Amino acid sequence: MPISVALLLASGISGLDASAAREIFGVDRTYLADPWYDFAVRAMDDVQSCDACRVERLCSPEQLTKTHTVVVPGWPDVRQAPPAALVGAVRDAHEAGARIVATHTGTFVLAAAGLLEGRRATTHWAHVDTLAVQYPRVRVDLDAPYVDEGDILTSAGQAASLDLFLHVVRLDHGAAVAKALAHHLVMPPRDAVEKAHPPAPSEPVGEDRILADVLSWVTQRLDSQVTVDDMAQQANVSRRTLTRHFRASTGMAPLQWLLAQRVQLAQRLLETTRLSVEQIAAQTGMGTAATLRRHFGRTVGVPPDSYRRWFRTRGEGGGVRLVGAPITPGQ
């Protein structure tokens, strides 16, 4: 039997989130997995968004409580309490055993339903403070693009909603199907734009005060040529002692950690600026564009030019603002 997915719609909800949900779960993808999903919409009021996302089938309140997965799109005004009917529908579906997937500011609807108390969740970065103030018992994750708590999943923004939906597909149909769908949508799966290992911590784990100052010192000098001897001198320890503390605290050798920091900085500059690859190579201490491309491609999985094109395309609907000089042709 296909997995049933219901999209909750109410006046003012994010049309982009609704369209993305329909694109992932409501389009026939039996060429990838058969059966695919059984997609329907539960309209909470006389909402006009149904036409926008081309809904073929509506579900009743009774059908909603029998649905496997319920998608809650972004709520338009986080300062205003969502309608009781919407909150009640989410609560009833969860109590009936549904998996709840909230995108963007849809997290506020889940919080209003009391589903997030003592649990991890995320939402758009611009509203994390509001979420923390309104619902102090929610454990807000500021860094994750999406949070999977098993029966409740939340995403950090509109662009991250697609990543969350692909994650759901991966859970339901396997990694190969999710990867094929990402390829069809011309977007790399998330594991292709993140490191194969967890991000290198910029702060030492635990109370390793030997590294506390040196890590801060290095991260302020990523555009400079910094050696292991330089780090050891800054920490006032031997090279061997520094390496031992690095491995114990970060799981990496000093130069591995330094390279990871430089790649992460390159990612941020590609995402948020119009600097050329050569300029980014200089600002990250990699020297040349060729060196940056080699290390970036090996670590992230895609070349920096492709990463930038992908992120800019995703950002057109997600509010990413690029600053700085225009990109040099060919970069």
Side-chain angles (χ1 to χ4, degrees), residues 216-228 230-231 254-255 257-259 261-262 265 269 279-288:
S216 175
W217 180 81
V218 173
T219 53
Q220 295 175 31
R221 292 165 174 80
L222 293 179
D223 59 340
S224 305
Q225 295 304 310
V226 178
T227 67
V228 178
D230 293 333
M231 296 185 210
L255 291 183
W257 179 87
L258 178 59
L259 177 60
Q261 296 298 314
R262 285 175 167 159
L265 175 58
L269 293 174
Q279 290 171 315
I280 292 175
Q283 291 199 16
T284 56
M286 296 196 197
T288 67

Side-chain angles (χ1 to χ4, degrees), residues 303-318:
D305 315 81
S306 300
Y307 182 87
R308 167 172 267 160
R309 284 194 297 270
W310 170 80
F311 199 91
R312 291 185 69 190
T313 300
R314 299 286 302 282
E316 287 174 359

Side-chain angles (χ1 to χ4, degrees), residues 276-310:
S276 69
V277 174
E278 283 81 4
Q279 290 171 315
I280 292 175
Q283 291 199 16
T284 56
M286 296 196 197
T288 67
T291 301
L292 170 60
R293 288 190 172 98
R294 182 173 69 254
H295 289 303
F296 193 94
R298 182 182 303 158
T299 303
V300 179
V302 293
D305 315 81
S306 300
Y307 182 87
R308 167 172 267 160
R309 284 194 297 270
W310 170 80

Side-chain angles (χ1 to χ4, degrees), residues 83-206:
L86 177 60
V87 172
V90 171
R91 185 186 298 114
D92 291 345
H94 184 258
E95 289 178 353
R99 175 177 61 182
I100 309 296
V101 179
T103 64
H104 192 28
T105 50
T107 302
F108 283 80
V109 180
L110 273 59
L115 304 185
L116 299 180
E117 293 194 6
R119 307 186 69 167
R120 286 176 62 240
T122 190
T123 189
H124 191 281
W125 62 265
H127 305 298
V128 291
D129 290 340
T130 303
L131 181 64
V133 170
Q134 291 184 6
Y135 304 99
R137 295 191 62 185
V138 178
R139 295 163 51 201
V140 183
D141 192 323
L142 303 179
D143 301 317
Y146 57 80
V147 170
D148 182 349
E149 286 277 286
D151 58 333
I152 294 178
L153 301 89
T154 54
S155 74
Q158 291 174 315
S161 300
L162 276 173
D163 291 317
L164 176 57
F165 292 156
L166 281 176
H167 174 68
V168 170
V169 172
R170 187 181 304 112
L171 294 173
D172 296 339
H173 296 290
V177 171
K179 186 174 182 179
L181 178 55
H183 179 72
H184 178 81
L185 297 173
V186 197
M187 58 175 286
R190 175 151 291 277
D191 60 3
V193 295
E194 292 179 336
K195 282 177 273 300
H197 50 76
S202 57
E203 297 292 338
V205 177

